């Protein structure tokens, strides 16, 4: 019997694997939270499948998303990234990745971990929505609005409420699998 999935991923093996194994699974590990944050910021204005298809290239280009290394990138590394055809070569987004890594480390210093900080916005546990269709899933929420403003205040870039809400969905802070999806009860 065919598993019922959220319709946004159906028909593409990479998308389905991402949906089945990662999307909506609670993430408390700082390294993974950073990876998703960077991928989400690059996704702004693009489709998520575009980013997924370039994910391994991003990993290579950005030193496996090692935020401590990225925070120290100098102009020569930034220039090299802007020549890398395997990633999204947006100058503002590449520069934002460096400053976001620096801001990420400051949050770790203040809260003990980025995970402590970000999960504090949902009281440490996932919000389980009960969406019947894709149309029921919001692009932003009051929490993503508040979190976005706080991240911006702390120096983050490309973290509008829509990007932040997508990050919350990807890292399981919110379960937005449609109720009929087999993953809805699993995550």
């Amino acid at each position: 019997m065919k598993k019922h999935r959220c319709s946004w991923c159906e028909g593409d093996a990479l998308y389905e694997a991402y949906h089945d194994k990662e999307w909506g699974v609670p993430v408390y590990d700082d390294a993974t939270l950073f990876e998703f944050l960077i991928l989400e910021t690059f996704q702004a204005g693009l489709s998520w499948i575009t980013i997924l298809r370039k994910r391994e290239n991003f990993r290579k280009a950005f030193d496996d998303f090692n935020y401590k290394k990225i925070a120290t990138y100098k102009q020569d590394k930034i220039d090299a990234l802007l020549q890398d055809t395997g990633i999204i070569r947006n100058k503002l987004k590449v520069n934002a990745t460096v400053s976001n890594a620096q801001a990420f480390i400051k949050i770790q210093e203040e809260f003990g971990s980025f995970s402590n900080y970000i999960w504090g916005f949902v009281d440490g546990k996932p919000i389980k929505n009960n969406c019947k269709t894709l149309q029921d899933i919001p692009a932003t929420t009051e929490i993503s609005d508040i979190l976005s403003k706080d991240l911006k205040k702390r120096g983050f870039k490309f973290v509008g409420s829509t990007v932040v809400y997508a990050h919350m969905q990807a890292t399981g802070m919110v379960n937005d699998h449609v109720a009929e999806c087999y993953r809805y009860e699993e995550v």
Side-chain angles (χ1 to χ4, degrees):
M1 190 169 131
K2 185 180 179 233
K3 293 179 177 178
H4 184 85
R5 292 183 174 95
C6 298
S7 60
W8 58 261
C9 72
E10 291 183 328
D12 183 289
L14 182 62
Y15 234 179
E16 288 177 2
Y18 170 72
H19 170 274
D20 293 356
K21 296 177 180 138
E22 292 184 85
W23 194 70
V25 176
V27 173
Y28 297 94
D29 169 68
D30 274 11
T32 307
L33 288 168
F34 182 75
E35 176 180 346
F36 274 111
L37 187 63
I38 296 313
L39 292 174
E40 293 293 351
T41 60
F42 272 95
Q43 189 248 333
L46 303 168
S47 69
W48 183 243
I49 192 63
T50 299
I51 301 303
L52 274 184
R53 288 188 179 126
K54 293 181 178 276
R55 189 179 192 178
E56 289 309 314
N57 296 336
F58 274 105
R59 271 199 184 112
K60 261 189 271 177
F62 285 98
D63 294 297
D64 286 325
F65 297 105
N66 181 331
Y67 50 86
K68 290 177 183 171
K69 263 188 179 178
I70 294 169
T72 66
Y73 282 1
K74 303 289 184 238
Q75 193 60 49
D76 60 332
K77 174 65 174 179
I78 292 167
D79 291 342
L81 288 167
L82 293 172
Q83 300 305 312
D84 188 334
T85 58
I87 65 168
I88 307 299
R89 295 177 296 168
N90 178 301
K91 187 176 183 177
L92 294 174
K93 291 177 181 181
V94 170
N95 283 314
T97 301
V98 178
S99 60
N100 286 353
Q102 294 163 352
F104 188 89
I105 291 168
K106 285 181 185 160
I107 285 178
Q108 286 180 314
E109 290 166 356
E110 183 178 344
F111 291 87
S113 73
F114 187 80
S115 180
N116 290 341
Y117 162 77
I118 201 162
W119 278 93
F121 285 86
V122 293
D123 296 325
K125 59 186 183 307
I127 295 168
K128 191 164 188 155
N129 288 329
N130 191 8
C131 301
K132 303 287 184 228
T133 68
L134 277 182
Q135 290 72 30
D136 296 335
I137 299 172
T140 64
T141 63
E142 188 177 332
I143 294 171
S144 69
D145 293 345
I146 292 166
L147 178 53
S148 169
K149 283 182 186 139
D150 197 68
L151 286 166
K152 287 176 185 175
K153 185 179 81 180
R154 294 171 182 280
F156 282 82
K157 296 176 176 66
F158 287 96
V159 288
S161 190
T162 303
V163 166
V164 168
Y165 193 67
H167 184 264
M168 292 172 67
Q169 292 171 312
T171 60
M173 292 175 67
V174 60
N175 180 350
D176 269 344
H177 286 279
V178 292
E180 287 184 344
C181 177
Y182 83 97
R183 291 293 284 156
Y184 179 73
E185 291 300 332
E186 291 182 2
V187 296

